[in-house]
Structures are given as C-alpha cells and as structure tokens.
Amino acid sequence: MSVAMPVQLTYIVTWREISDGLRIQLRHSPVGRWCHRILWALGAFFAFAVAATVQARGIAAVNASTWACLLITCILLVAVRRLTALGLLGYARHLGEHRVTVGASGIRIETERHTQETGWQFYGRCVEGRRVFVLLTPDASRSGVMILPKRGLASPQDSDRLRELITAHLGDLPTG
C-alpha cells in the first residue's frame, strides 16, 4: 500500500464520535488526567464525610450542603464530557457534511460552510479508538484535537491506508 495516496472520509458528525474523541483526549492529556483525579478525590472526600457523619451521628446530621457537594461532584464526573460533546455537536452539525482528505501534506476538511487545511506538523500524535482516530496537538495540555470517524471511510482498506499515513507522519498509534 502506498502512503502517498490520500484517504477520503465523508461523514456527518455524531455525538458518540465526539464523546469518544473527548474521552480519548482526556485520557491522553496530562490536564485531563489530573482533572479526572481531582474530581474522583473530591467525590471520595465527600462520600467519606457523609459516611463518617452518618456513622457518628446518624443520617439526620448530614446537612444539605454536604449532600449538594457530593451530588455536584458525582454529576461532574459523569456529565462534563457528555455535555461538552453535546455542545460541540451543535457546532459540527452547523458545518454540515464533512469531506476530509488525509494526504502526505496534511489534512484538508471541507464542509458546507468552512474549509481548513492543516499540516502534519500541527499534530504530535494520534490515538486510535474503536470508532475514531484522534489526532492530538503536541502542546503540554494536548488541547488541540481532531476526530476522524472510521465510519466515514469508504472501505476497510481505507482504514489501513489511513493508519499507515498517520504512522508515517506521527509515529506509532497507541489505542485508546
């Protein structure tokens, strides 16, 4: 297979793909990992505070603010990525159908309202998930992200060619 031959993807973005891409980004980003750990630590702290208070003084001794803090922390753990994906979905749907060309010079995205070309030097690595390829910027927070859904490929052979192109320009692909 030739790495010089470009790969085409055509798709309309879905919430699941954005959510998967953000999950992978958070898992492979130092900032994302720390935020996740902090939320888990807060949740554990508030759960411990509720359990200790109930053990020592009974359920009636736990005040509303402690319950609220525990509830908010749990909601943040579950909902932040999902709500972010929902917000990004609105923007992606506004752009319409995405026609992406991945070639030796980089990535070109054309939509009904927008055209963008990005060279390979903008990205530092790529992580392959079950449904998506996620390209991450090389900055410390890996805040730049491009999500390429596998379902946008015309054939399974295109997935192999895309993998080869990415590997040739960014190195080996870890799985997310």
Side-chain angles (χ1 to χ4, degrees):
M1 288 184 219
S2 173
V3 174
M5 189 172 189
V7 176
Q8 302 282 330
L9 293 96
T10 304
Y11 57 89
I12 295 177
V13 179
T14 66
W15 175 85
R16 170 61 74 192
E17 291 158 350
I18 294 174
S19 182
D20 285 354
L22 290 176
R23 179 183 44 77
I24 289 170
Q25 179 195 25
L26 288 174
R27 185 177 295 158
H28 291 273
S29 157
V31 172
R33 287 191 301 266
W34 273 106
C35 288
H36 195 71
R37 288 176 189 148
I38 288 169
L39 283 175
W40 272 106
L42 275 173
F45 171 76
F46 288 125
F48 177 75
V50 167
T53 304
V54 167
Q55 183 75 20
R57 293 185 260 157
I59 192 109
V62 180
N63 61 17
S65 62
T66 306
W67 285 115
C69 289
L70 179 61
L71 180 64
I72 289 169
T73 304
C74 291
I75 288 171
L76 285 174
L77 274 168
V78 173
V80 167
R81 179 176 46 91
R82 289 173 176 87
L83 291 175
T84 303
L86 192 59
L88 289 173
L89 179 62
Y91 172 69
R93 290 276 169 91
H94 170 73
L95 294 176
E97 181 180 72
H98 289 62
R99 294 170 302 286
V100 180
T101 304
V102 181
S105 63
I107 301 164
R108 178 178 175 83
I109 303 171
E110 296 178 43
T111 70
E112 298 166 10
R113 294 179 176 83
H114 178 72
T115 300
Q116 174 185 340
E117 288 189 48
T118 308
W120 285 109
Q121 66 276 11
F122 184 75
Y123 296 104
R125 66 186 293 200
C126 179
V127 180
E128 183 177 358
R130 190 167 37 128
R131 296 181 186 90
V132 295
F133 290 95
V134 179
L135 283 79
L136 302 166
T137 55
D139 59 318
S141 63
R142 290 183 180 83
S143 56
V145 62
M146 178 180 290
I147 302 167
L148 299 173
K150 292 180 180 181
R151 70 173 172 80
L153 296 164
S155 70
Q157 293 80 16
D158 286 347
S159 182
D160 293 334
R161 283 193 8 242
L162 180 58
R163 197 174 291 110
E164 283 182 20
L165 265 167
I166 292 170
T167 301
H169 293 92
L170 300 179
D172 291 335
L173 290 171
T175 56

